[in-house]
Amino acid sequence: MSQTQSTYDIVCFSHLRWNFVYQRPQHLMSRAAQRHRVVFVEEPIFFCASESKPIPHLETYRDGGVHVAIPHLPEGLSEDRVGSLIRRLVKDFLEELGVRDFAMWLYSPMFLPYLRGLEPKAVVYDCMDELANFRFAPPVLREREQQLFRWADAVFTGGRSLYEAKRLHHPNCHCFPSSVEVAHFAQARRPLPEPRDLAPLGRPRVGFYGVIDERMDTELLEAVARRLPGCEFVMVGPFAKVDPAEMPQLANLHFLGMKSYAELPYYLAHWDVAILPFALNDSTRFISPTKTPEYLAAGKPVVSTPIQDVVKPYGEKDLVYIADNATGFAEAIRRALLEDQTKRQRQADAFLAAMSWDYTWAKMEQLIEEALERKQLASLPKASLLPQHAPTPAGLARAAETLLSPHSGETLLSPHSGETLLSPRSGEAKVVRKL
């Protein structure tokens, strides 16, 4: 183990809240917390100045090994003022924890104005989505991403198509499609108790879980449900940036709300087909849904629209049915219900065997440590690079390899990005820190 592996903490800034959906940040930071102290800073929550707590403060709590910090600020402040308050709140909290040597991990370029004055040992940009293409994205986001590319020591992407879009912007860019906890979802292959809200629904059942937002093709969903009146369509997940009242209203279409990550196998166990009814638009151009391997790990046949990172590799390997219109989608569901899935599932299991969130984190951690070592080497006076004793030929070769290794490369694991769900979990008592 190198010295850098045990001497730095991680401060993560995320636009996704820790207790909203359990997805890539939670999978990675939970694993990071096994060997590093992790502070997870969320976007600020703004309150009306007339409310009972008009003082800017930092709400904190601990979930396992992760320290979660949520800034609460009065609304109506300028961006500069918001940035200065968050910097002060976060710096005070880091000092309270004794966090000094840390790597900074960013999920959004919009945090950049908050970070002046912080001195990380390394900066990682984990780009899990093309946020600039999402609904209500700030116009300045693309410009700030370019600034982040110039600052970051390493860039990770959440899927292959996103990697192809970002790799020319940074010399140390690596593709890490989000992975899967196979054992967790494989529970769905065993007899599990049926959730109460599923029990009244007939069979066959066609299910989806995930955030229901502008990426969902609701017109396709409605058309497919009308073509298959004998199927019950089950939609599990919270609504975001869309009006629930505008969702299709059909007798065989059911929106059951958000469920915990622990509950998902219980729902999957009582579905017959799992679906990815995503629209083909700017917001889905670079997504790599983590649901794809999760559905397969649960032993379910999967039907998807032609999302790039689903077609390649899952569609090309005949692990997922692909359909680009309502007629084809409905027909694919019929086929999935009727066909013997034994061979497809065996192939899927073999494919998933190489995927693991533990392995993904281990490779990311290795790249962070390599970046730290490069920076440490670059900061040494030239004289200190001279050997104190005559090196062996093998030692010279190793030194040359270290000094000449390029600040570039690609790490490609097996495909994703997207979300699985987690309802708020209990942690330690929350603490409010005032300025």
Side-chain angles (χ1 to χ4, degrees):
M1 180 184 297
S2 68
Q3 187 179 14
T4 55
Q5 284 179 299
S6 58
T7 60
Y8 67 93
D9 301 317
I10 295 176
V11 180
C12 175
F13 288 83
S14 174
H15 62 293
L16 299 169
R17 301 206 179 277
W18 185 259
N19 272 348
F20 178 51
V21 294
Y22 199 90
Q23 50 188 306
R24 183 182 180 97
Q26 288 86 346
H27 278 296
L28 294 174
M29 292 300 105
S30 294
R31 283 161 175 79
Q34 294 173 12
R35 298 210 301 110
H36 306 270
R37 186 163 39 178
V38 174
V39 178
F40 188 90
V41 184
E42 298 182 0
E43 286 186 328
I45 294 176
F46 294 97
F47 58 82
C48 178
S50 63
E51 293 180 12
S52 58
K53 285 187 178 180
I55 301 174
H57 60 278
L58 191 70
E59 174 191 345
T60 64
Y61 65 94
R62 188 169 176 175
D63 188 354
V66 177
H67 298 268
V68 181
I70 312 166
H72 290 253
L73 305 176
E75 59 188 19
L77 301 177
S78 68
E79 185 177 59
D80 286 346
R81 182 60 176 153
V82 168
S84 65
L85 288 172
I86 290 178
R87 281 194 299 277
R88 184 174 171 187
L89 288 166
V90 171
K91 287 183 74 172
D92 287 350
F93 185 47
L94 296 182
E95 289 177 8
E96 179 183 326
L97 293 176
V99 172
R100 294 178 181 84
D101 294 327
F102 62 92
M104 187 179 293
W105 188 289
L106 297 173
Y107 277 105
S108 169
M110 294 306 294
F111 284 102
L112 284 181
Y114 309 164
L115 306 180
R116 287 191 293 271
L118 297 179
E119 298 180 356
K121 296 178 70 175
V123 176
V124 175
Y125 175 29
D126 189 15
C127 180
M128 60 180 283
D129 285 305
E130 184 61 274
L131 296 178
N133 288 352
F134 281 22
R135 184 176 294 180
F136 309 133
V140 74
L141 196 150
R142 292 187 191 277
E143 177 185 337
R144 289 199 180 153
E145 184 177 61
Q146 292 303 313
Q147 296 171 1
L148 181 51
F149 282 138
R150 292 192 290 272
W151 191 32
D153 297 290
V155 174
F156 304 146
T157 67
R160 181 73 200 197
S161 59
L162 197 56
Y163 169 76
E164 294 297 338
K166 304 298 180 184
R167 66 186 180 90
L168 297 180
H169 296 281
H170 197 279
N172 193 27
C173 186
H174 305 266
C175 182
F176 284 104
S178 292
S179 194
V180 59
E181 290 184 327
V182 171
H184 179 71
F185 289 95
Q187 296 177 83
R189 303 188 190 194
R190 307 195 307 264
L192 294 176
E194 186 173 29
R196 281 186 188 176
D197 50 0
L198 270 186
L201 306 182
R203 306 290 285 261
R205 294 174 186 155
V206 178
F208 167 90
Y209 64 74
V211 178
I212 300 169
D213 56 17
E214 75 271 23
R215 295 171 297 174
M216 177 73 61
D217 192 337
T218 53
E219 291 183 3
L220 173 80
L221 180 63
E222 179 176 11
V224 172
R226 289 187 183 279
R227 282 169 168 79
L228 299 173
C231 293
E232 301 293 341
F233 287 78
V234 180
M235 309 297 288
V236 168
F239 293 100
K241 296 180 285 184
V242 295
D243 184 354
E246 295 178 357
M247 293 296 107
Q249 305 294 317
L250 299 174
N252 65 331
L253 180 56
H254 314 275
F255 295 90
L256 303 187
M258 189 159 115
K259 308 299 176 185
S260 73
Y261 183 71
E263 290 176 292
L264 294 179
Y266 291 81
Y267 283 83
L268 285 160
H270 298 278
W271 294 353
D272 301 291
V273 177
I275 57 172
L276 297 167
F278 288 115
L280 302 179
N281 57 32
D282 286 344
S283 66
T284 61
R285 182 180 173 191
F286 298 106
I287 66 170
S288 184
T290 193
K291 287 176 284 296
T292 316
E294 290 171 353
Y295 287 164
L296 292 172
K300 300 302 169 184
V302 182
V303 180
S304 176
T305 51
I307 298 299
Q308 288 186 66
D309 283 14
V310 178
V311 172
K312 186 177 183 178
Y314 297 99
E316 291 182 350
K317 292 182 179 293
D318 196 30
L319 303 179
V320 170
Y321 297 88
I322 304 294
D324 61 2
N325 57 53
T327 300
F329 208 94
E331 180 57 31
I333 291 173
R334 289 193 189 97
R335 288 178 54 204
L337 290 169
L338 294 173
E339 292 179 354
D340 183 354
Q341 299 294 328
T342 305
K343 179 181 177 182
R344 181 176 283 109
Q345 190 59 60
R346 186 167 57 247
Q347 292 172 334
D349 289 346
F351 183 75
L352 297 178
M355 300 177 69
S356 159
W357 278 113
D358 291 336
Y359 179 68
T360 297
W361 168 249
K363 294 297 291 183
M364 288 178 163
E365 186 180 46
Q366 179 184 348
L367 289 165
I368 295 169
E369 286 153 7
E370 289 174 1
L372 288 170
E373 289 169 359
R374 278 194 299 269
K375 294 185 76 170
Q376 186 178 30
L377 189 61
S379 67
L380 293 174
K382 289 185 179 180
S384 68
L385 298 180
L386 297 175
Q388 300 300 311
H389 305 285
T392 64
L396 281 173
R398 282 195 299 271
E401 181 180 2
T402 300
L403 292 171
L404 299 177
S405 59
H407 188 60
S408 65
E410 172 189 356
T411 304
L412 179 60
L413 301 179
S414 9
H416 156 84
S417 153
E419 63 283 292
T420 50
L421 307 178
L422 181 71
S423 55
R425 298 179 295 174
S426 60
E428 294 183 0
K430 296 184 179 181
V431 179
V432 172
R433 290 165 172 77
K434 299 178 180 179
L435 286 175

